[in-house]
Amino acid sequence: MTTTTNTPSMHPPVPTSDLPPGPRMPVGLQTLRAWRATIPFFDAATRRYGPIFTIRALPWGTAVVVNDPELVKEVFTGDPAVYHAGEGNSILAPIVGSRSVLVLDEDEHLQARRTLLPPFHGEAVQAYGRVVEQIVADEISRWPLLEAFPLHPRFRAVTLEVILRAVIGVSDPRRLAALRQVLPECLQISPTIMAMWAMPVLGRVGPWRRFREKLAEANRLLRAEIRERRRDPGLEKREDVLSRLIAAGGDCDDDELRDQIMTLLVAGHETSSTGLAWTFERLLRHPTTLSRARGGDDAYLDAVVQESLRVRPVLPVVLRQLKVPVNLGGYELPAGITVMPAITLMHENPALFDEPSRFKPERFLDGGEGGTYAWIPFGGGRRRCLGAAFASFEMRVVLRTILRSTELRADVPADEPIRNHHITLVPARGARVVKVGWHALPPWPGRRRLTATARRPRGVGAGAL
Ligand code: HEM
C-alpha cells in the first residue's frame, strides 16, 4: 500500500508507506525546530523513534535522519550515483558557483575533487604552519587585557586571514584589505539571504541588494587575483593552494578556479572559526585538561581538537539526496528524499562514546573510542570534508600558539549554551573570555620578547579555569 503526504510545495509528494516513523507536527513547526533547536528536536525524535526517523522540514522536504554506525557506514560508502551530496548542497550554488566541488556529483565531482585534493593532503598542509602562527600571534596582540570579549569573531578574522593568505595566497595589501572588507558579509549565508534564490526580485532591494553587490565585488577581486597569479613568474615557488592548483597545470579555467576558491572560503571559514571557539569554550572550563594541553605534545592537542569537534560538532548533519529507491535499516526509501547522517546524535551516543557529554580528550589517545563511522564531524566517504586535515592542523597551531603565549579565562564558570546560527551550532555568547596574561612569542628568529601579565580581574569566575 502506498499513501502520500503533504510535503513542502517545492518538493513533489513522496510515498510514505515505507518511510521510518517520525514527528507528526506540521511542516512549518518541524522546519522551525530543525533550524532553531536542532539538538532538542533530534534528541526527542531519536528517544521516541530510535536510530532512523523521518522529519519533514524546509528546504529538504522529506528527510530520513540516521544515527547508527552501520547505517551511517551504508550511506557514506554507498554508490555516489545513488547518494547525491552535491544536490543536497545545491542551496549554496548561487554563491559557490555551478562548478564548485560542493555542488557537483558523480564523475564531475570526482574530477573536481582530484584536482583540489593534493594541496590539502596531510603532509602538504604542514607548509601553512608558519603563516597560521603569524596570523594568530598578531591577532592575540590586539586582544584587550582584563576585559571580557567574545573569541568567536576574533577566530572568524583569523580563519578568514588564513584562507586569504595560505589558501588563496593574496599578498597585495590593497587587495587583502578590500577582500577583508567584502568577504565577511558574503560568507554569512542566512535563510533571509537564501530567500532571494527563490524570489530573485528581492535582489533589487535592502540587504539582498547589498549582498549581491558585495558578492560581485568579491568575485571581481578573486578573478583579478587569479589572472595575476597565472602571470606570476615565481608561481612554481609559491606554496598557497591557488598557486599549486595553477602550477599543477590542470584544465581549470578562471571561472572554475573562482568557484573552487569561493567554495573553500564558504566551507572553511565559519566552520573552522566555530570549531576553535568551541575548543576554547570547553578547554577553559576544564582546568586539568587545560594544564595538560599547555604542556602537551601535538598528539594531545590533536585529541583536544578531536574531542571538541565531537562534544560540540560545528555542523549537525550531512546531506545526501537519493536518486533511486534504497533499502536502509529495513525501510524501502523512495527516490527524491534526503538522507541525513546526524553528527550530533552519533557523537552523543553512549554506545559509541563513554560518558558522551563529558569533555575528555584522553578518549582519543591510544587508538581511542569511536571509529570512522562514529566520529563524523567532517562527514564521510568520498564526500568527506576536503579540508579536514587542513582544519585539524590549523586548529592545533592556533591552540598551541595561544596556549604558549596567553592566559585566558572563561568570563563566567557556566557552560555556554549551544545556539543554532544558520547551518552551524555556535556558542551562544560567542565564547567569551578574559585575557589575563600575555607575552609576545618569538615565532620566527630574532623577535623581541615582550611581557604583560596581570592578576585575575574581578568577576572572573574562580571555577572558570
Ligand atoms: C572544523 C572545521 C570544518 C568542519 C567541521 C567541516 C565539516 C565539513 C562537512 C561535515 C562536510 C560535508 C561532508 C560530507 O558531505 O560527507 C564538509 C565538506 C567540505 N569541506 Fe569542510 N569542514 C571544516 C573545514 C574546512 C576547511 C578549512 C576547508 C577548506 C579550506 C573545507 C572544505 C570543504 C570542502 C571543499 C567540502 C566539500 C567536499 C566534497 O563535497 O567533496 N572544510 N566539511
Side-chain angles (χ1 to χ4, degrees), residues 131 135 156-166 176 180:
V131 179
I135 291 169
R156 281 199 185 104
V158 167
T159 59
L160 179 64
E161 198 69 14
V162 168
I163 299 184
L164 288 176
R165 280 161 56 184
L176 258 179
R180 274 184 208 124

Side-chain angles (χ1 to χ4, degrees), residues 76 85 101-102 109 113 120 163 167 263-264 267-268 271-272 275 309 314-315 318-320 343 377-380 382-387 390-391 394-395:
F76 283 165
V101 66
L102 256 177
H109 168 257
R113 198 169 158 105
F120 285 103
I163 299 184
V167 175
T263 300
L264 300 175
T271 46
S272 308
L309 292 173
V314 173
L315 297 169
V318 288
L319 309 171
R320 301 287 185 266
I343 302 174
F378 294 112
R382 286 191 215 187
R383 302 302 296 231
R384 186 170 188 266
C385 174
L386 207 132
F390 184 93
E394 176 185 14
M395 288 174 71

Side-chain angles (χ1 to χ4, degrees), residues 2 7 11-16 18-19 60-64 81-84 87 320-328 331-339:
T2 296
T7 48
H11 290 266
V14 166
T16 57
D18 267 335
L19 288 170
W60 314 289
T62 301
V64 169
V82 173
Y83 292 96
H84 270 194
E87 241 174 285
R320 301 287 185 266
Q321 207 149 320
L322 278 191
K323 295 311 287 174
V324 296
V326 160
N327 188 297
L328 190 70
Y331 296 94
E332 195 62 35
L333 306 183
I337 66 162
T338 301
V339 176

